[in-house]
Amino acid sequence: MDLEKRPAHRAEQPQPPGQADRHPPQAEGCLAVAIRLPVRIVVLVLVVPVRLVWDALAVCGRFLYFRGLRPVGRAVGAVLTWLFKAVFVWPWVGLWRYVVVPVGVALAWLGRVLFVVPAVWLYRSVLTPVGHGIAWLARGVGRGIAVTALGIAAGCAWLWRYLVAIPAAWLYARVLTPVGHGIAWLARVLGAGAAAAGRGVGAVLTWLFKAVFVWPWVGLWRYVVVPVGVALAWLGRVLFVVPAVWLYRSVLTPVGHGIAWLARGIGAGATWLGRGIWAVVATLCRWLFVAPVVAVWRWVLAPLGRAVAVVAREVGDALGHAWRVAGHLSLVVGRFLAKLLRWIFVEPVRWAYRTVLTPVGHVVRDAVWRPAARAVKEVRRATRQALASARESVRQARADVRRMLFGTSKQAVPVAAPPQEPVPVPIPAARREPVAPGARTLGSSTTALTKD
């Protein structure tokens, strides 16, 4: 047990980049070295029984789980699965397989026989010939109507051309065109006169509109409103703007500067007074509250906390070390118990199986079981032959009685072939392992024991 060496995993743990220089490694003090050995001894004495009990419980629990709970769970699961299938799956499967599917097949066959086959026959034997006949008749009627319509259209076109189109063209060219040209010339002359008269009337109306509605308002704006507005603007600037600017520059600005200077002086004095009061209050609070708390933390709490941390760390390390040592001890004790159990129970049972039960089993198999099986097969074969001959005799007697009562028919009655002897099944020889020099087999061990 190394008391000075620390665990390797703690020394090899990587430090973050920001914390590498913040907590440098410190040398262990005398307190850690003084409490390490007794703490580890006490913890080892206390932890070893707990670890032994824990490992024993773990082995028992593992054995109970693999040999008891898991097989029972599988059995219960199989039973529940069978019950679930028997209650929920198999009834619906049987209903689908033996009720729904046959009924559906029957309904499909019935629908095919009652609807599909008659409909196909009606379509092929009735509707198709009738449709072909109607189509042939419609084609003939259509051709007749087309020929008649073409003749009527040709006659109507000839009548339209010679009764309407040619007279209308002559009337348009010889009568309407000269009349239209004369009307157009008269309309151009009248339009030119009306345009000249309209331009004169428009000029007169425009001059009257300007004289009545535009020129009076323009003169009023130009010779009355604009001079009055300029005079009012000059009067407002002289009476209001110039005195206001002078009042702002000569009176309000110096007064405002004086008020600002006074406020700055009062603010500076208040700031100086507040700083003095804050310095006095901060000094009093520091010496009355902070300095005692810092002294208690630095000279009482910090050393006590470091001592408690050292004790807790050593106790934790001692617990881990003792738990590992107890694990090794538990492993050694478990192996010793397993080997002792093997020497006491397993090896005698194995020796009894190899040296006693295996030869006895071979003897029972070769001397009792195989002759008994051979005798049972012979009895079964003889029984089958006797039953076959009796069945053939009964069949022949029944055929004879039928011939005596009803006579023979004209067709040849087939004669049953005589029963054939069943071919005996060869019994395979007992298979043994190949005998090789230096090999340990069941046959060799049995032979050796028999020779001894």
Side-chain angles (χ1 to χ4, degrees):
M1 184 185 298
D2 191 1
L3 300 180
E4 299 296 334
K5 186 178 180 180
R6 308 306 301 168
H9 68 277
R10 179 174 299 179
E12 296 177 358
Q13 286 181 354
Q15 292 289 339
Q19 298 181 1
D21 299 333
R22 187 177 300 175
H23 300 287
Q26 299 179 0
E28 296 182 352
C30 60
L31 180 62
V33 178
I35 68 173
R36 182 174 300 162
L37 183 60
V39 167
R40 289 199 174 186
I41 293 174
V42 173
V43 170
L44 181 62
V45 172
L46 295 177
V47 169
V48 168
V50 177
R51 183 60 186 265
L52 293 176
V53 174
W54 173 263
D55 290 340
L57 292 176
V59 172
C60 294
R62 193 179 298 112
F63 176 80
L64 181 63
Y65 172 73
F66 285 104
R67 294 294 184 267
L69 296 179
R70 190 163 68 174
V72 171
R74 290 179 178 176
V76 172
V79 172
L80 293 178
T81 303
W82 184 86
L83 289 176
F84 178 79
K85 290 183 178 179
V87 174
F88 296 100
V89 179
W90 292 339
W92 297 103
V93 172
L95 180 64
W96 173 263
R97 184 175 297 173
Y98 300 108
V99 177
V100 176
V101 173
V103 170
V105 172
L107 291 177
W109 178 83
L110 187 62
R112 184 174 180 274
V113 171
L114 294 180
F115 298 100
V116 178
V117 174
V120 171
W121 177 84
L122 180 65
Y123 176 77
R124 290 181 179 177
S125 303
V126 178
L127 296 179
T128 301
V130 171
H132 290 174
I134 293 172
W136 178 81
L137 182 62
R139 285 196 297 270
V141 173
R143 288 174 183 174
I145 293 173
V147 171
T148 305
L150 288 175
I152 294 172
C156 292
W158 184 84
L159 292 175
W160 174 264
R161 180 181 179 186
Y162 289 100
L163 294 179
V164 178
I166 294 176
W170 179 86
L171 179 64
Y172 176 79
R174 301 299 179 181
V175 178
L176 296 179
T177 300
V179 172
H181 290 174
I183 292 172
W185 178 81
L186 182 60
R188 284 198 297 271
V189 171
L190 294 176
R199 284 195 294 271
V201 172
V204 172
L205 292 176
T206 302
W207 185 85
L208 289 175
F209 180 80
K210 289 182 178 180
V212 174
F213 295 101
V214 177
W215 290 341
W217 297 103
V218 170
L220 180 64
W221 172 263
R222 182 177 296 176
Y223 298 108
V224 177
V225 175
V226 171
V228 172
V230 171
L232 291 176
W234 178 82
L235 186 62
R237 181 174 179 275
V238 171
L239 294 178
F240 296 101
V241 176
V242 174
V245 172
W246 177 84
L247 180 64
Y248 175 76
R249 289 180 178 178
S250 303
V251 177
L252 297 180
T253 300
V255 172
H257 289 173
I259 294 172
W261 178 80
L262 182 62
R264 285 197 296 270
I266 294 173
T271 303
W272 180 80
L273 182 60
R275 288 179 180 177
I277 295 173
W278 173 255
V280 173
V281 173
T283 305
L284 291 176
C285 292
R286 179 183 178 185
W287 290 107
L288 291 178
F289 299 102
V290 178
V293 171
V294 170
V296 171
W297 170 262
R298 182 175 297 175
W299 305 109
V300 178
L301 296 179
L304 184 60
R306 284 195 290 270
V308 172
V310 170
V311 172
R313 185 184 62 192
E314 293 299 329
V315 170
D317 294 342
L319 284 174
H321 185 75
W323 186 260
R324 291 190 295 272
V325 173
H328 290 293
L329 294 178
S330 175
L331 182 62
V332 172
V333 172
R335 289 179 178 177
F336 174 74
L337 293 177
K339 187 171 293 186
L340 185 63
L341 181 64
R342 180 181 178 184
W343 289 345
I344 294 175
F345 296 101
V346 178
E347 290 298 334
V349 171
R350 183 182 297 177
W351 177 84
Y353 176 77
R354 288 183 178 179
T355 57
V356 179
L357 296 179
T358 301
V360 171
H362 291 174
V363 171
V364 170
R365 183 189 62 187
D366 297 335
V368 178
W369 180 253
R370 287 180 179 174
R374 195 179 297 112
V376 169
K377 289 182 180 179
E378 293 295 335
V379 169
R380 188 182 301 166
R381 188 181 301 112
T383 303
R384 281 201 302 266
Q385 292 177 0
L387 291 176
S389 60
R391 191 181 300 109
E392 186 62 27
S393 300
V394 171
R395 188 180 298 110
Q396 292 294 336
R398 187 170 52 190
D400 293 339
V401 170
R402 188 183 298 109
R403 281 195 300 270
M404 286 188 299
L405 293 177
F406 304 102
T408 58
S409 60
K410 294 181 180 181
Q411 297 179 357
V413 179
V415 180
Q420 298 180 358
E421 292 293 334
V423 181
V425 180
I427 300 175
R431 296 181 180 179
R432 295 181 179 273
E433 298 180 0
V435 180
R440 182 179 181 184
T441 60
L442 298 177
S444 61
S445 61
T446 309
T447 308
L449 291 175
T450 307
K451 289 182 179 181
D452 292 341

